[in-house]
Amino acid sequence: MKIAHISDTHITSGEAYKGYAYDLIANEINTLDYDIVIHTGDVTNEGLREEYERASYELKKIKKPLIVVPGNHDARNVGYELFEKYIGPLNGVYEKGDLVIIWVDSTIPDLSDGRIGGYKFKWLKEKLEEYSHKKFKIVAAHHHLIPLPDTGRERNVLFNAGDVLDLLLKHDVTLYICGHKHVPNVYKVESLVVANAGCTSCRKTRKGDVNSYNIIKIKNDGKISVSIKRVTGEVIQRDFKTRKQRIFVPKKKRLLRIVQMSESNVSDRVYFRERVLENAIKAINEKYRPDLVIHCGDIVDVGTERYYAKAYEFWEKIKPKKIIVPGHNDITYLGYDLFNEYFGEPDIVELGDFVFIPIISAQYETPIGVVGRIGQRILRKHLREHEEKFRVVIMHHNIIPIPKSREIGFLEDGGNVLKILTDEKANLVLTGHGGNTLGIKVEETPIINAGSISWELHRNPFGNSFNLIDVYEDMIAAFEIQATWGSRKLLGIWKIKTKVPWA
């Protein structure tokens, strides 16, 4: 199967639409051996009738089987009803041999944000179960699932991106394709390939880029290639071998044990579970005996002297070496100064062949985080300077959307931060925001988010918990430990490649 993936044509009579770019790409598609074309939304610019009339004419120029998904611009001005009249169904299924393509409407009328919620989420789940026997499963929607680089402030991701990503991974989906942000990008997330198309014919490109489309090739042996082809003729190709996730058994010795926690939110409020935190600290000291304990922020509920004094008492009860970064709760009120007074300013820690790089993402009086352009340069610099070590990046805000959490782009430059981490092949990233756990590998970098260790207002069906992470020479194994009863759940086991000449 060979697929042409186009997106964000923004067809209109105004300046937003570049008709010559659309004709160039449409003619190329017609002359090459594509089996099907998928348009992932923003067919029109404002969802107006005259735009749909023109779009219906323009789309007929493509002489291949065509699937069209609605985008947020198509849903403006009640355009979603015109979409069905002039273009086709908002949701649907296409079958061919061992392949199924499921497309779903992720738009919210008159908003740029997206969601696959309620009945649509249930419908998508039912379709994935119905076609579970298919070797190749493709899901197409307009909105992006994970943060993208070079898009400015991270926003308009699916509100329930964490739940959708979890659903796709659980059902062994091969490929998720989308558009929306006008930036072509390809990531491998565990076994799932996530391909964003740039804009095919819209004038609004990012960072001086040109119009483009994606070429997707799927072979019977499970190999997938995604190529970004720009109108200048430049082609960037990536090849993937799809395989189901496997459980690995460590063949070499364990080098380090980490306990990761977050959101203790120490206070005198009823939501702070003091006994749970005491039990967890006891288990950490006596049962798990890690080499290092890492707290990924929100050690207090609000930044007051009284809460910091109480949190420090708990912190001192933890016997192993400790590292902490501030969360957004920690720097409310006087917390910015109190954090440094009680816990010191976060700094790089070297431990044998390991280096721990703390990155500050919390801002005053807001749950929205940012690393910033200077912070991004510092992050890249530290990763390169310590290339010969096992590099662990520690920060508060989650980079990958968390299940059961409303995703609003909590790290506003998350796309650029994720790109730096994957480009520089960070060996492990630890975050702690959102009240739920997550263990996931993006490209070659495992990213682990900690849930809340002792705060009642969390989103984790497993309850209050902390993570136990064992690093071996050839792999990382991460488990979630229930803070009250000590039951254990696997978060992930990942093979790793490093440049570390282990001592």
Side-chain angles (χ1 to χ4, degrees), residues 49 56 136 146 160 163 214 279 301 311 317 322 333 336 381 394 496:
R49 179 176 57 81
S56 178
F136 300 104
I146 57 176
N160 60 330
D163 290 324
N214 290 350
N279 289 341
D301 178 33
K317 292 178 182 178
K322 304 179 286 285
Y333 301 102
Y336 191 87
K381 175 175 173 284
I394 307 164
I496 55 174

Side-chain angles (χ1 to χ4, degrees), residues 145-371:
L145 265 184
I146 57 176
L148 296 171
D150 300 324
T151 57
R153 183 169 61 85
E154 173 57 31
R155 62 197 187 282
N156 310 146
V157 69
L158 287 170
F159 279 153
N160 60 330
D163 290 324
V164 174
L165 179 58
D166 183 59
L167 180 72
L168 301 183
L169 290 173
K170 284 180 177 176
H171 287 82
D172 294 318
V173 172
T174 313
L175 188 66
Y176 177 83
I177 63 174
C178 57
H180 186 48
K181 297 296 284 185
H182 296 205
V183 170
N185 190 77
V186 186
Y187 277 133
K188 188 170 186 184
V189 183
E190 295 288 353
S191 58
L192 173 70
V193 178
V194 179
N196 289 75
C199 53
T200 296
S201 55
C202 180
R203 193 171 299 277
K204 182 185 174 183
T205 58
R206 310 270 185 180
K207 212 169 76 170
D209 202 357
V210 297
N211 298 107
S212 64
Y213 75 104
N214 290 350
I215 302 166
I216 301 168
K217 297 178 183 177
I218 301 175
K219 298 182 179 179
N220 286 331
D221 61 2
K223 292 180 180 177
I224 294 177
S225 72
V226 181
S227 301
I228 299 167
K229 184 165 188 183
R230 292 179 165 85
V231 292
T232 55
E234 179 192 14
V235 178
I236 300 174
Q237 179 174 321
R238 292 200 58 195
D239 299 308
F240 304 93
K241 174 70 175 176
T242 61
R243 58 170 65 91
K244 291 186 178 181
Q245 299 176 41
R246 296 178 294 169
I247 297 296
F248 302 109
V249 177
K251 297 179 180 178
K252 299 183 179 180
K253 68 177 182 178
R254 190 179 79 197
L255 302 169
L256 189 77
R257 167 165 284 187
I258 301 169
V259 161
Q260 177 199 14
M261 64 176 71
S262 188
E263 296 185 359
S264 48
N265 285 320
V266 174
S267 69
D268 55 15
R269 296 177 67 190
V270 67
Y271 302 117
F272 170 52
R273 294 174 164 175
E274 185 169 337
R275 182 63 62 85
V276 172
L277 183 57
E278 289 175 346
N279 289 341
I281 291 173
K282 183 178 180 181
I284 290 167
N285 289 335
E286 298 178 6
K287 182 176 181 180
Y288 297 106
R289 299 179 181 178
D291 302 291
L292 185 67
V293 174
I294 296 174
H295 196 304
C296 290
D298 284 357
I299 193 167
V300 295
D301 178 33
V302 292
T304 65
E305 178 89 43
R306 182 159 47 92
Y307 289 177
Y308 263 104
K310 188 173 183 178
Y312 186 75
E313 289 180 12
F314 282 107
W315 189 242
E316 285 299 291
K317 292 178 182 178
I318 299 174
K319 295 177 182 178
K321 188 176 179 64
K322 304 179 286 285
I323 299 175
I324 183 171
V325 293
H328 64 279
N329 285 350
D330 299 325
I331 61 171
T332 54
Y333 301 102
L334 298 174
Y336 191 87
D337 294 319
L338 290 170
F339 184 90
N340 290 341
E341 180 183 329
Y342 278 88
F343 300 105
E345 187 173 347
D347 199 4
I348 289 179
V349 174
E350 294 191 46
L351 201 62
D353 290 320
F354 293 83
V355 60
F356 299 86
I357 304 170
I359 295 296
I360 308 303
S361 61
Q363 300 184 86
Y364 279 127
E365 311 293 345
T366 174
I368 305 298
V370 63
V371 173

